[in-house]
């Protein structure tokens, strides 16, 4: 007797929007952390200017989160969404997160104590956190996470170039990844909301 392939499980559209809202909220919160760490390495009169400029992408990110949760509340409860990502909430996801935490901790400890270069810790963190988005993109069926991860990693070579500018200090190794990764995470949250709006229009 021929076996039939089971149909994939589907989330509702409302559930997808709520999950997007939660993910964007997490990204927004981590963006605030990255920004705070990066801004603390900016000295002099540039610090308040950086703070003011940073409020723009932060506001867009917060607006994206609010939009996703509001869209979820307006979406019919039974409207079908996309297939559930296999392993998205299970062992694969947790394995990636655990490995990320271990590599972050061990690497930053070595950078701080072994190399005695604490200013490089945020650059190392940008490399590790950025890299962890690549397996998550596959597990969660979210290709955009590859873009987020790639851009976070890219902040490190940008910091390296900034360190070559005459008069630059070691603080650029913290400021550039901190501010850059914050901007990437906030932009990702805002884009998620925009994409969700377009998807809803196409489905209408």
């Amino acid at each position: 007797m021929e076996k039939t392939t089971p149909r994939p499980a589907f989330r509702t559209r409302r559930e997808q929007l709520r999950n997007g809202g939660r993910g964007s909220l997490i990204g927004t919160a981590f963006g605030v952390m990255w920004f705070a760490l990066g801004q603390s390495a900016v000295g002099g009169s540039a610090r308040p200017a950086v703070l003011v400029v940073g409020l723009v992408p932060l506001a867009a990110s917060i607006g994206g989160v609010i939009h996703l949760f509001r869209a979820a509340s307006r979406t019919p409860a039974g409207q079908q969404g996309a297939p559930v990502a296999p392993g998205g909430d299970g062992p694969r996801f947790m394995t990636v997160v655990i490995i990320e935490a271990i590599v972050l901790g061990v690497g930053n400890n070595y950078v701080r104590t072994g190399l005695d270069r604490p200013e490089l810790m945020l650059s190392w963190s940008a490399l590790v956190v950025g890299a962890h988005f690549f397996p998550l993109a596959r597990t969660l069926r979210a290709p955009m996470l590859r873009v987020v991860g790639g851009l976070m990693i890219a902040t490190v070579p940008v910091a390296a170039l900034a360190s070559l500018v005459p008069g630059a200090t070691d603080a650029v190794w913290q400021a550039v990844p901190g501010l850059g990764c914050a901007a990437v995470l906030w932009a990702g949250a805002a884009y998620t909301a925009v994409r969700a709006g377009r998807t809803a229009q196409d489905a209408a």
Side-chain angles (χ1 to χ4, degrees):
M1 185 176 179
E2 187 178 347
K3 294 183 178 180
T4 58
T5 304
R7 295 181 64 186
F10 285 83
R11 291 192 190 278
T12 65
R13 177 69 181 151
R14 176 181 290 181
E15 201 175 2
Q16 281 185 288
L17 288 167
R18 283 176 178 167
N19 285 343
R22 294 185 194 104
S24 294
L25 180 60
I26 292 170
T28 300
F30 274 105
V32 171
M33 181 195 73
W34 281 94
F35 186 83
L37 292 171
Q39 196 212 22
S40 68
V42 178
S45 60
R47 182 177 289 185
V50 168
L51 176 60
V52 171
V53 172
L55 290 176
V56 176
L58 173 58
S61 183
I62 294 172
V65 172
I66 294 171
H67 171 77
L68 286 166
F69 282 115
R70 289 184 65 186
S73 67
R74 295 194 298 264
T75 300
Q79 184 176 338
Q80 181 174 292
V84 175
D89 299 321
R92 291 187 210 171
F93 178 87
M94 288 307 303
T95 299
V96 173
V97 173
I98 290 170
I99 291 174
E100 175 205 22
I102 293 172
V103 176
L104 269 176
V106 172
N108 275 326
N109 182 63
Y110 176 72
V111 168
R112 185 180 68 253
T113 59
L115 297 180
D116 194 24
R117 296 289 302 276
E119 73 278 3
L120 296 178
M121 290 173 62
L122 213 57
S123 291
W124 172 253
S125 298
L127 291 175
V128 175
V129 175
H132 106 290
F133 278 113
F134 286 89
L136 283 187
R138 181 185 178 95
T139 299
L140 300 176
R141 285 184 180 170
M144 191 191 75
L145 293 181
R146 295 190 185 95
V147 178
V148 172
L151 290 175
M152 291 185 76
I153 291 172
T155 64
V156 178
V158 172
L161 290 174
S163 70
L164 300 177
V165 175
T169 67
D170 287 341
V172 298
W173 291 102
Q174 179 175 337
V176 174
L179 300 176
C181 289
V184 170
L185 290 170
W186 291 340
Y191 174 77
T192 298
V194 171
R195 186 181 60 180
R198 288 175 180 170
T199 303
Q201 288 178 352
D202 293 341

Short mmCIF file of all heavy atoms in Angstrom, two decimals, residues 48-97:
data_model
loop_
_atom_site.label_atom_id
_atom_site.label_comp_id
_atom_site.label_asym_id
_atom_site.label_seq_id
_atom_site.Cartn_x
_atom_site.Cartn_y
_atom_site.Cartn_z
N PRO A 48 25.86 63.05 22.56
CA PRO A 48 24.43 63.43 22.48
C PRO A 48 23.91 63.43 21.04
O PRO A 48 22.74 63.12 20.81
CB PRO A 48 24.39 64.83 23.10
CG PRO A 48 25.80 65.32 23.09
CD PRO A 48 26.65 64.11 23.21
N ALA A 49 24.77 63.77 20.08
CA ALA A 49 24.34 63.76 18.68
C ALA A 49 24.00 62.34 18.24
O ALA A 49 23.00 62.12 17.54
CB ALA A 49 25.43 64.35 17.80
N VAL A 50 24.82 61.38 18.65
CA VAL A 50 24.57 59.98 18.32
C VAL A 50 23.25 59.52 18.94
O VAL A 50 22.47 58.79 18.32
CB VAL A 50 25.74 59.09 18.80
CG1 VAL A 50 25.37 57.61 18.74
CG2 VAL A 50 26.97 59.35 17.95
N LEU A 51 22.99 59.96 20.16
CA LEU A 51 21.75 59.59 20.84
C LEU A 51 20.53 60.11 20.08
O LEU A 51 19.56 59.38 19.86
CB LEU A 51 21.75 60.15 22.26
CG LEU A 51 20.47 59.94 23.08
CD1 LEU A 51 20.17 58.45 23.23
CD2 LEU A 51 20.58 60.60 24.45
N VAL A 52 20.58 61.35 19.65
CA VAL A 52 19.46 61.95 18.92
C VAL A 52 19.22 61.21 17.60
O VAL A 52 18.09 60.86 17.24
CB VAL A 52 19.71 63.45 18.67
CG1 VAL A 52 18.64 64.01 17.74
CG2 VAL A 52 19.72 64.21 19.98
N VAL A 53 20.31 60.95 16.87
CA VAL A 53 20.19 60.24 15.58
C VAL A 53 19.64 58.83 15.79
O VAL A 53 18.84 58.33 15.00
CB VAL A 53 21.55 60.21 14.87
CG1 VAL A 53 21.49 59.31 13.63
CG2 VAL A 53 21.98 61.61 14.47
N GLY A 54 20.07 58.18 16.88
CA GLY A 54 19.64 56.82 17.15
C GLY A 54 18.16 56.69 17.47
O GLY A 54 17.58 55.61 17.31
N LEU A 55 17.56 57.79 17.91
CA LEU A 55 16.13 57.74 18.24
C LEU A 55 15.26 57.49 17.01
O LEU A 55 14.16 56.96 17.12
CB LEU A 55 15.71 59.06 18.91
CG LEU A 55 16.26 59.29 20.33
CD1 LEU A 55 15.85 60.67 20.82
CD2 LEU A 55 15.77 58.22 21.29
N VAL A 56 15.76 57.85 15.83
CA VAL A 56 14.96 57.69 14.60
C VAL A 56 14.74 56.21 14.27
O VAL A 56 13.59 55.77 14.15
CB VAL A 56 15.61 58.44 13.42
CG1 VAL A 56 14.82 58.19 12.13
CG2 VAL A 56 15.70 59.93 13.71
N PRO A 57 15.81 55.41 14.10
CA PRO A 57 15.57 53.99 13.83
C PRO A 57 14.90 53.26 14.99
O PRO A 57 14.15 52.31 14.78
CB PRO A 57 16.96 53.42 13.54
CG PRO A 57 17.91 54.37 14.17
CD PRO A 57 17.25 55.72 14.08
N LEU A 58 15.16 53.71 16.23
CA LEU A 58 14.50 53.09 17.37
C LEU A 58 12.99 53.31 17.29
O LEU A 58 12.20 52.39 17.52
CB LEU A 58 15.05 53.65 18.68
CG LEU A 58 14.33 53.20 19.96
CD1 LEU A 58 14.34 51.69 20.10
CD2 LEU A 58 14.96 53.86 21.19
N ALA A 59 12.59 54.54 16.95
CA ALA A 59 11.16 54.84 16.83
C ALA A 59 10.53 54.00 15.72
O ALA A 59 9.41 53.50 15.87
CB ALA A 59 10.97 56.33 16.54
N ALA A 60 11.24 53.82 14.61
CA ALA A 60 10.72 53.00 13.51
C ALA A 60 10.56 51.55 13.95
O ALA A 60 9.59 50.88 13.58
CB ALA A 60 11.66 53.08 12.31
N SER A 61 11.52 51.07 14.73
CA SER A 61 11.46 49.70 15.22
C SER A 61 10.29 49.50 16.17
O SER A 61 9.53 48.52 16.06
CB SER A 61 12.77 49.35 15.93
OG SER A 61 12.79 48.01 16.36
N ILE A 62 10.11 50.42 17.10
CA ILE A 62 8.99 50.33 18.03
C ILE A 62 7.66 50.42 17.28
O ILE A 62 6.71 49.68 17.56
CB ILE A 62 9.08 51.45 19.09
CG1 ILE A 62 10.31 51.22 19.99
CG2 ILE A 62 7.81 51.50 19.93
CD1 ILE A 62 10.58 52.36 20.94
N GLY A 63 7.61 51.30 16.28
CA GLY A 63 6.41 51.42 15.47
C GLY A 63 6.09 50.11 14.74
O GLY A 63 4.93 49.73 14.61
N GLY A 64 7.16 49.43 14.28
CA GLY A 64 6.97 48.14 13.62
C GLY A 64 6.38 47.10 14.55
O GLY A 64 5.49 46.32 14.16
N VAL A 65 6.87 47.06 15.77
CA VAL A 65 6.36 46.11 16.76
C VAL A 65 4.88 46.36 17.02
O VAL A 65 4.05 45.44 17.02
CB VAL A 65 7.16 46.21 18.07
CG1 VAL A 65 6.52 45.35 19.16
CG2 VAL A 65 8.61 45.78 17.85
N ILE A 66 4.53 47.62 17.24
CA ILE A 66 3.14 47.97 17.51
C ILE A 66 2.26 47.60 16.32
O ILE A 66 1.15 47.05 16.48
CB ILE A 66 3.01 49.48 17.82
CG1 ILE A 66 3.73 49.80 19.14
CG2 ILE A 66 1.55 49.92 17.90
CD1 ILE A 66 3.85 51.28 19.43
N HIS A 67 2.74 47.88 15.11
CA HIS A 67 1.97 47.57 13.91
C HIS A 67 1.69 46.07 13.80
O HIS A 67 0.57 45.67 13.46
CB HIS A 67 2.74 48.04 12.68
CG HIS A 67 2.12 47.59 11.38
ND1 HIS A 67 1.00 48.17 10.84
CD2 HIS A 67 2.48 46.57 10.53
CE1 HIS A 67 0.68 47.56 9.72
NE2 HIS A 67 1.56 46.59 9.50
N LEU A 68 2.69 45.24 14.09
CA LEU A 68 2.51 43.79 13.97
C LEU A 68 1.47 43.27 14.96
O LEU A 68 0.61 42.45 14.60
CB LEU A 68 3.85 43.09 14.18
CG LEU A 68 4.83 43.21 13.03
CD1 LEU A 68 6.23 42.79 13.46
CD2 LEU A 68 4.37 42.37 11.84
N PHE A 69 1.51 43.75 16.20
CA PHE A 69 0.53 43.29 17.18
C PHE A 69 -0.87 43.82 16.86
O PHE A 69 -1.87 43.11 17.05
CB PHE A 69 0.96 43.68 18.59
CG PHE A 69 2.03 42.81 19.17
CD1 PHE A 69 3.29 43.31 19.45
CD2 PHE A 69 1.79 41.46 19.42
CE1 PHE A 69 4.28 42.50 19.98
CE2 PHE A 69 2.78 40.64 19.95
CZ PHE A 69 4.03 41.16 20.23
N ARG A 70 -0.96 45.04 16.36
CA ARG A 70 -2.27 45.57 15.97
C ARG A 70 -2.83 44.82 14.78
O ARG A 70 -4.03 44.53 14.71
CB ARG A 70 -2.15 47.06 15.66
CG ARG A 70 -1.91 47.95 16.89
CD ARG A 70 -1.91 49.40 16.52
NE ARG A 70 -3.22 49.84 16.03
CZ ARG A 70 -3.48 51.04 15.53
NH1 ARG A 70 -2.50 51.93 15.45
NH2 ARG A 70 -4.68 51.37 15.14
N ALA A 71 -1.94 44.50 13.81
CA ALA A 71 -2.39 43.74 12.64
C ALA A 71 -2.89 42.36 13.06
O ALA A 71 -3.86 41.85 12.52
CB ALA A 71 -1.24 43.61 11.64
N ALA A 72 -2.20 41.76 14.05
CA ALA A 72 -2.63 40.44 14.54
C ALA A 72 -4.02 40.52 15.16
O ALA A 72 -4.85 39.63 14.94
CB ALA A 72 -1.63 39.92 15.56
N SER A 73 -4.28 41.57 15.90
CA SER A 73 -5.59 41.70 16.56
C SER A 73 -6.72 41.92 15.55
O SER A 73 -7.87 41.60 15.83
CB SER A 73 -5.56 42.86 17.56
OG SER A 73 -5.43 44.10 16.90
N ARG A 74 -6.39 42.47 14.36
CA ARG A 74 -7.42 42.72 13.34
C ARG A 74 -7.58 41.57 12.36
O ARG A 74 -8.48 41.59 11.52
CB ARG A 74 -7.06 43.99 12.56
CG ARG A 74 -7.07 45.28 13.37
CD ARG A 74 -7.05 46.49 12.46
NE ARG A 74 -5.83 46.52 11.66
CZ ARG A 74 -4.75 47.22 11.98
NH1 ARG A 74 -4.74 47.92 13.10
NH2 ARG A 74 -3.68 47.21 11.20
N THR A 75 -6.71 40.57 12.45
CA THR A 75 -6.74 39.46 11.50
C THR A 75 -7.72 38.39 11.97
O THR A 75 -7.72 38.03 13.15
CB THR A 75 -5.33 38.83 11.37
OG1 THR A 75 -4.43 39.84 10.90
CG2 THR A 75 -5.33 37.67 10.39
N PRO A 76 -8.57 37.86 11.08
CA PRO A 76 -9.51 36.80 11.46
C PRO A 76 -8.78 35.61 12.08
O PRO A 76 -7.70 35.22 11.60
CB PRO A 76 -10.16 36.41 10.13
CG PRO A 76 -10.03 37.62 9.28
CD PRO A 76 -8.74 38.27 9.67
N ALA A 77 -9.35 35.05 13.12
CA ALA A 77 -8.68 33.99 13.88
C ALA A 77 -8.36 32.76 13.05
O ALA A 77 -7.34 32.11 13.26
CB ALA A 77 -9.53 33.60 15.09
N GLY A 78 -9.20 32.42 12.08
CA GLY A 78 -9.00 31.18 11.33
C GLY A 78 -8.25 31.33 10.03
O GLY A 78 -8.08 30.34 9.30
N GLN A 79 -7.78 32.53 9.71
CA GLN A 79 -7.10 32.74 8.42
C GLN A 79 -5.77 31.98 8.39
O GLN A 79 -4.94 32.14 9.26
CB GLN A 79 -6.85 34.23 8.18
CG GLN A 79 -6.23 34.53 6.81
CD GLN A 79 -6.09 36.03 6.58
OE1 GLN A 79 -6.77 36.83 7.20
NE2 GLN A 79 -5.20 36.40 5.68
N GLN A 80 -5.60 31.16 7.34
CA GLN A 80 -4.41 30.31 7.26
C GLN A 80 -3.18 31.10 6.86
O GLN A 80 -3.22 31.97 6.02
CB GLN A 80 -4.65 29.19 6.25
CG GLN A 80 -3.48 28.22 6.12
CD GLN A 80 -3.80 27.05 5.22
OE1 GLN A 80 -4.62 26.21 5.57
NE2 GLN A 80 -3.18 27.00 4.06
N GLY A 81 -2.07 30.75 7.51
CA GLY A 81 -0.80 31.38 7.18
C GLY A 81 0.12 30.41 6.46
O GLY A 81 -0.33 29.50 5.77
N ALA A 82 1.41 30.57 6.66
CA ALA A 82 2.40 29.73 6.00
C ALA A 82 2.65 28.45 6.81
O ALA A 82 2.27 28.36 7.99
CB ALA A 82 3.71 30.50 5.85
N PRO A 83 3.30 27.45 6.20
CA PRO A 83 3.60 26.21 6.94
C PRO A 83 4.51 26.48 8.13
O PRO A 83 5.32 27.40 8.12
CB PRO A 83 4.32 25.35 5.90
CG PRO A 83 3.92 25.90 4.59
CD PRO A 83 3.69 27.36 4.79
N VAL A 84 4.35 25.66 9.15
CA VAL A 84 5.19 25.77 10.34
C VAL A 84 6.61 25.36 9.98
O VAL A 84 6.84 24.36 9.29
CB VAL A 84 4.66 24.87 11.47
CG1 VAL A 84 5.60 24.89 12.66
CG2 VAL A 84 3.26 25.31 11.87
N ALA A 85 7.59 26.12 10.41
CA ALA A 85 8.99 25.78 10.18
C ALA A 85 9.37 24.57 11.03
O ALA A 85 9.19 24.58 12.24
CB ALA A 85 9.89 26.96 10.55
N PRO A 86 9.86 23.49 10.40
CA PRO A 86 10.20 22.29 11.18
C PRO A 86 11.35 22.57 12.14
O PRO A 86 12.38 23.10 11.76
CB PRO A 86 10.63 21.28 10.10
CG PRO A 86 11.05 22.12 8.95
CD PRO A 86 10.18 23.34 8.98
N GLY A 87 11.12 22.25 13.42
CA GLY A 87 12.18 22.45 14.41
C GLY A 87 12.32 23.87 14.90
O GLY A 87 13.23 24.18 15.66
N GLY A 88 11.44 24.77 14.43
CA GLY A 88 11.58 26.17 14.79
C GLY A 88 11.46 26.45 16.27
O GLY A 88 12.09 27.37 16.77
N ASP A 89 10.65 25.66 16.96
CA ASP A 89 10.47 25.88 18.40
C ASP A 89 11.10 24.76 19.22
O ASP A 89 10.83 24.65 20.41
CB ASP A 89 8.97 25.97 18.73
CG ASP A 89 8.32 27.14 18.01
OD1 ASP A 89 8.96 28.19 17.92
OD2 ASP A 89 7.18 26.98 17.54
N GLY A 90 11.88 23.92 18.59
CA GLY A 90 12.37 22.74 19.28
C GLY A 90 13.86 22.69 19.47
O GLY A 90 14.53 23.73 19.62
N PRO A 91 14.43 21.46 19.43
CA PRO A 91 15.84 21.26 19.76
C PRO A 91 16.81 22.02 18.85
O PRO A 91 17.84 22.49 19.32
CB PRO A 91 16.02 19.74 19.60
CG PRO A 91 14.65 19.17 19.77
CD PRO A 91 13.72 20.20 19.21
N ARG A 92 16.51 22.13 17.56
CA ARG A 92 17.44 22.82 16.66
C ARG A 92 17.63 24.27 17.07
O ARG A 92 18.76 24.78 17.12
CB ARG A 92 16.91 22.78 15.22
CG ARG A 92 16.91 21.41 14.59
CD ARG A 92 16.52 21.53 13.13
NE ARG A 92 15.85 20.33 12.66
CZ ARG A 92 15.25 20.23 11.49
NH1 ARG A 92 15.21 21.26 10.68
NH2 ARG A 92 14.66 19.10 11.12
N PHE A 93 16.52 24.93 17.36
CA PHE A 93 16.59 26.33 17.77
C PHE A 93 17.40 26.48 19.05
O PHE A 93 18.31 27.32 19.14
CB PHE A 93 15.17 26.86 17.98
CG PHE A 93 15.11 28.29 18.46
CD1 PHE A 93 15.12 29.34 17.55
CD2 PHE A 93 15.04 28.58 19.81
CE1 PHE A 93 15.07 30.65 17.99
CE2 PHE A 93 14.99 29.89 20.26
CZ PHE A 93 15.00 30.93 19.34
N MET A 94 17.10 25.66 20.05
CA MET A 94 17.79 25.76 21.32
C MET A 94 19.27 25.39 21.19
O MET A 94 20.12 25.97 21.86
CB MET A 94 17.12 24.86 22.36
CG MET A 94 15.76 25.36 22.83
SD MET A 94 15.83 27.09 23.41
CE MET A 94 17.06 26.98 24.71
N THR A 95 19.58 24.44 20.31
CA THR A 95 20.98 24.07 20.10
C THR A 95 21.79 25.25 19.59
O THR A 95 22.90 25.52 20.06
CB THR A 95 21.08 22.89 19.11
OG1 THR A 95 20.40 21.76 19.65
CG2 THR A 95 22.54 22.53 18.84
N VAL A 96 21.23 25.97 18.62
CA VAL A 96 21.91 27.15 18.07
C VAL A 96 22.13 28.20 19.16
O VAL A 96 23.23 28.76 19.29
CB VAL A 96 21.11 27.76 16.90
CG1 VAL A 96 21.72 29.08 16.45
CG2 VAL A 96 21.05 26.79 15.73
N VAL A 97 21.12 28.45 19.95
CA VAL A 97 21.20 29.48 21.00
C VAL A 97 22.22 29.08 22.06
O VAL A 97 23.02 29.91 22.53
CB VAL A 97 19.82 29.71 21.64
CG1 VAL A 97 19.93 30.63 22.85
CG2 VAL A 97 18.85 30.30 20.61
#
